[in-house]
């Protein structure tokens, strides 16, 4: 009964729901994007959700980070989000890590659920819900290295972007699309440090982009369909419009062209 409205869809049957139930997602970031995407995936019946975030909840987060309340200020985001998700759907397996992602701990933090599972064929997806360019670069490198799909979303002001990269198909990666504008841990230029903290974001922007991300994730996990294959979706909240840009693998990409 919990998932009956999904199963009634012509394109979504019991097999799709069972596939979703066996799936696993690892979400980096339990903030403005991580809250709505994890909530929608939990409500829809994703089998296991692993959240990674070392930040603490602040008053300024409550405007858009929908799993938190005033009483949660000062608590860890990942742990508190897991507790909220459990109350929403106790049938979903949940775990979290309250650590900051680095190249040294990336394999353990991002892949522990995938590599340890006894269901090696279970659908698996990395979700980028961070506003940190260095973390995105690490995510992208791990995605390419282990040939794991990466669903990357971003939100700032009243705009957002979304792409679902499939390294196994050699169709391009995050670095192919954004190139050297991607920051590294050794240094970031001014153009690469824009985030919600210093540039602002409308509350609806993160909610819209988080649910667009959830929509793509559900189709990929439940139906084995990538609705954004080779495309970057750009959403403009100010104009209430969206469009897509085509991309392909950069044959000179230092991340995916060399088969890292």
């Amino acid at each position: 009964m919990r998932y009956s409205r999904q199963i009634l869809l012509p394109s979504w049957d019991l097999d799709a729901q069972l596939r979703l139930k066996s799936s696993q997602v690892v979400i980096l970031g339990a903030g403005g994007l991580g809250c709505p995407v994890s909530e929608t995936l939990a409500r829809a019946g994703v089998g296991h959700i692993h959240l990674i975030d070392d930040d603490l909840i602040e008053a300024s987060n409550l405007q858009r980070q929908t799993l938190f309340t005033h009483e949660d200020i000062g608590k860890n985001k990942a742990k508190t989000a897991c507790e909220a998700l459990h109350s929403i759907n106790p049938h979903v397996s949940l775990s979290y890590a309250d650590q900051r992602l680095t190249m040294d701990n990336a394999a353990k933090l991002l892949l522990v659920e995938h590599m340890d599972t006894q269901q090696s064929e279970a659908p698996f997806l990395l979700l980028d819900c961070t506003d940190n360019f260095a973390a995105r670069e690490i995510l992208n490198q791990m995605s390419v290295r282990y040939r794991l799909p990466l669903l990357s979303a971003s939100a700032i002001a009243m705009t957002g972007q979304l792409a679902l990269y499939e390294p196994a198909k050699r169709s391009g990666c995050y670095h192919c699309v954004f190139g050297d504008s991607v920051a590294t841990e050794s240094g970031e230029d001014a153009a690469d440090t824009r985030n919600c903290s210093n540039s602002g974001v409308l509350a609806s922007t993160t909610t819209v982009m988080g649910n667009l991300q959830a929509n793509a994730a559900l189709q990929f996990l439940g139906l084995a369909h990538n609705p954004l294959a080779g495309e970057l979706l750009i959403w403009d909240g100010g104009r209430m419009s969206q469009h897509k840009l085509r991309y392909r693998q950069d044959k000179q990409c230092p991340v995916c062209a060399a088969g890292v």
Side-chain angles (χ1 to χ4, degrees):
M1 289 301 295
R2 180 181 286 267
Y3 310 118
S4 61
R5 296 304 184 268
Q6 287 178 178
I7 298 172
L8 284 172
L9 290 169
S11 60
W12 190 280
D13 55 15
L14 185 58
D15 287 340
Q17 191 64 44
L18 290 172
R19 179 181 167 88
L20 188 67
K21 178 64 176 177
S22 70
S23 65
Q24 303 175 74
V25 297
V26 173
I27 303 175
L28 181 64
L33 292 169
C35 282
V37 71
S38 62
E39 178 177 349
T40 298
L41 293 182
R43 290 184 183 277
V46 166
H48 185 89
I49 297 174
H50 184 63
L51 286 168
I52 304 169
D53 200 314
D54 70 325
D55 285 344
L56 302 181
I57 299 164
E58 301 177 359
S60 62
N61 300 149
L62 303 182
Q63 166 248 11
R64 64 196 178 281
Q65 297 181 16
T66 53
L67 291 177
F68 310 136
T69 67
H70 180 78
E71 287 71 25
D72 295 323
I73 292 175
K75 298 178 182 178
N76 173 259
K77 288 184 179 180
K79 180 181 180 181
T80 306
C82 278
E83 292 170 348
L85 294 173
H86 178 74
S87 68
I88 290 169
N89 189 350
H91 303 293
V92 175
S93 174
L94 297 159
S95 60
Y96 72 92
D98 54 358
Q99 300 177 56
R100 181 169 294 274
L101 182 71
T102 67
M103 281 303 300
D104 291 336
N105 65 16
K108 179 180 178 180
L109 290 185
L110 298 175
L111 308 179
V112 60
E113 298 301 325
H114 177 70
M115 298 174 73
D116 290 349
T117 182
Q118 296 179 354
Q119 305 178 68
S120 58
E121 300 302 318
F124 179 84
L125 189 58
L126 293 175
L127 274 71
D128 167 20
C129 296
T130 180
D131 60 3
N132 182 294
F133 281 89
R136 285 179 180 163
E137 177 71 356
I138 296 172
L139 268 177
N140 187 55
Q141 290 183 28
M142 298 300 291
S143 166
V144 172
R145 181 176 302 168
Y146 292 97
R147 298 167 71 88
L148 296 171
L150 171 63
L151 179 54
S152 179
S154 64
I156 194 73
M158 297 176 69
T159 63
Q161 298 176 348
L162 183 67
L164 175 46
Y165 306 102
E166 295 182 86
K169 295 185 177 180
R170 301 187 66 83
S171 55
C173 71
Y174 185 88
H175 199 280
C176 290
V177 176
F178 295 98
D180 291 334
S181 65
V182 177
T184 65
E185 289 185 292
S186 59
E188 298 176 330
D189 59 39
D192 287 332
T193 56
R194 291 204 319 147
N195 54 44
C196 297
S197 298
N198 58 37
S199 299
V201 62
L202 196 64
S204 55
T205 302
T206 52
T207 301
V208 168
M209 291 310 303
N211 277 292
L212 285 174
Q213 189 177 26
N215 181 282
L218 289 174
Q219 292 186 62
F220 186 81
L221 296 169
L223 302 175
H225 168 61
N226 182 353
L228 293 169
E231 295 179 319
L232 174 70
L233 184 147
I234 300 176
W235 183 78
D236 186 333
R239 295 183 175 88
M240 291 296 288
S241 64
Q242 69 181 35
H243 64 280
K244 296 178 181 177
L245 299 176
R246 295 288 302 173
Y247 69 83
R248 60 177 181 269
Q249 185 183 43
D250 177 3
K251 299 304 181 182
Q252 304 301 317
C253 177
V255 179
C256 71
V260 175

